[in-house]
Amino acid sequence: YDVSAGLDPLGAAIAAERGLAVRNAVTALKEPYREIVALRFFAELSLNEIADVTGRPLGTVKTHLHRGLARLRDALARETVA
């Protein structure tokens, strides 16, 4: 890393570690939450696009996203405490 360019090696390492923790937590989610969260945040699809791709009603997609994110938050909070 080029410190003179303003890049912070410690910050980059922490961000990479956090990114890995998030990916691992998403992988550990049960279906259908994993699919919906991955499509929303990794594939960057809109909720309507996810509904079209999965064939699920929009309301179901919203519910699965909400519940998946809650489970993800809980998993990441547990990891932080551990």
Side-chain angles (χ1 to χ4, degrees), residues 16-63:
E17 186 177 307
R18 187 65 172 168
L20 180 60
V22 169
R23 280 190 222 75
N24 288 339
V26 169
T27 301
L29 287 173
K30 292 183 179 181
E31 289 299 338
Y33 310 115
R34 177 179 46 233
E35 177 184 33
I36 300 301
V37 169
L39 288 172
R40 180 67 182 111
F41 294 102
F42 297 128
E44 298 181 0
L45 297 181
S46 70
L47 296 177
N48 286 323
E49 290 170 326
I50 294 170
D52 289 342
V53 167
T54 62
R56 295 184 183 116
L58 181 59
T60 302
V61 169
K62 289 178 180 180
T63 298

Side-chain angles (χ1 to χ4, degrees), residues 55-79:
R56 295 184 183 116
L58 181 59
T60 302
V61 169
K62 289 178 180 180
T63 298
H64 288 167
L65 181 61
H66 178 76
R67 290 178 183 168
L69 291 176
R71 285 167 170 77
L72 194 57
R73 263 190 241 80
D74 290 345
L76 291 171
R78 283 191 307 273
E79 181 180 301

